[in-house]
Amino acid sequence: MSEELSLRERKKRETRQRISDVAMGLFMRHGFDKVTVAEVARAADVSVNTVFNYFKTKEELFLDRQDTAEEFLADLVRGRAPGVSAVRAIRDDFLDAVRTRHWRYGFNAGADWWHQMVADSPALTAAVNRLHEARQEKLAAALADEADADPDDLTPRVVAAQICATLTVLTEQAHRRRRAGEAWEDILADTEKKAERAFDLLEHGIGDYPEPSR
């Protein structure tokens, strides 16, 4: 029974990935707003109902890693090593993403196209803003849990807002420079320096809140 379930789950994951890949190909060729869910379904050789079984909205077809994107900062805080502050854990992760061109902060190959498509579509802009809000809320909840904060303590929310604002400023500046024609190699080297300075400011102001685990 478990093997049958495993096979079924694998097929579901493969179907979901195929639909997502087909949708992204259509979005790249025609633009997000010009592609319908029915066109995605036809190209993926599935029904419209099948598409909506895996993705609640067309925006979710574009944001196919939404759950991971919303959760990963909270996961970093909960999974940090003993003696490491929340800000330090996120700082190290951000710098690693800059150096490795990882997608989680938007420095991967293809990120130029992704950001431009979001900027060109009001629906996608709104969806990405909701994703960022959810990510900040989940980070605040993780900080509150780690600090055993009272329900009316605003500190976790303030800290989460400062961290997320810092990440947004760093990534948006990098992409503005890219749109202006600068080379990624120059942008990333400078972003790394700016990130060090930005996180120095965060660590000085936020300190080790919540107290590092022991």
Side-chain angles (χ1 to χ4, degrees):
M1 185 69 172
S2 60
E3 289 183 3
E4 291 179 4
L5 182 61
S6 176
L7 178 60
R8 189 180 307 120
E9 288 301 315
R10 187 166 66 250
K11 287 183 176 179
K12 287 172 65 176
R13 288 196 297 270
E14 290 171 353
T15 299
R16 186 185 192 281
Q17 188 61 54
R18 186 176 78 255
I19 293 170
S20 175
D21 290 345
V22 167
M24 292 301 278
L26 290 172
F27 296 153
M28 288 179 70
R29 288 195 296 274
H30 306 294
F32 178 81
D33 291 329
K34 293 182 179 179
V35 175
T36 66
V37 174
E39 289 170 334
V40 172
R42 282 196 298 272
D45 196 23
V46 298
S47 69
V48 170
N49 285 341
T50 297
V51 174
F52 283 122
N53 284 340
Y54 290 96
F55 303 92
K56 295 177 183 177
T57 65
K58 191 173 80 165
E59 288 75 23
E60 285 190 11
L61 281 165
F62 186 84
L63 302 171
D64 63 325
R65 293 169 171 167
Q66 180 171 337
D67 291 345
T68 301
E70 288 181 3
E71 296 280 356
F72 81 93
L73 292 180
D75 290 342
L76 283 172
V77 170
R78 292 192 173 100
R80 71 195 192 281
V84 175
S85 70
V87 174
R88 174 59 63 169
I90 294 171
R91 173 188 191 140
D92 291 345
D93 188 68
F94 182 85
L95 290 172
D96 175 73
V98 172
R99 293 164 187 152
T100 61
R101 299 285 308 269
H102 197 273
W103 69 266
R104 63 190 182 275
Y105 295 101
F107 296 116
N108 55 302
D112 302 3
W113 163 83
W114 193 95
H115 281 266
Q116 188 60 55
M117 186 160 289
V118 170
D120 291 342
S121 169
L124 282 181
T125 298
V128 170
N129 287 340
R130 289 193 296 271
L131 186 156
H132 288 165
E133 290 170 3
R135 182 174 69 173
Q136 183 173 313
E137 289 173 4
K138 291 176 187 295
L139 175 58
L143 292 167
D145 288 344
E146 292 290 302
D148 195 22
D150 292 332
D152 60 348
D153 186 352
L154 291 179
T155 308
R157 291 168 60 189
V158 171
V159 172
Q162 291 182 14
I163 291 172
C164 289
T166 298
L167 296 174
T168 297
V169 168
L170 289 168
T171 55
E172 286 187 351
Q173 183 184 62
H175 281 281
R176 279 198 302 272
R177 292 176 62 181
R178 179 59 183 158
R179 287 194 295 273
E182 292 188 54
W184 266 122
E185 292 74 14
D186 296 333
I187 295 169
L188 294 175
D190 193 46
T191 297
E192 190 172 337
K193 294 176 185 177
K194 285 182 166 60
E196 294 279 14
R197 172 59 176 155
F199 278 100
D200 281 345
L201 292 171
L202 278 181
E203 287 187 284
H204 177 73
I206 295 173
D208 346 351
Y209 178 88
E211 183 177 347
S213 55
R214 304 191 184 282

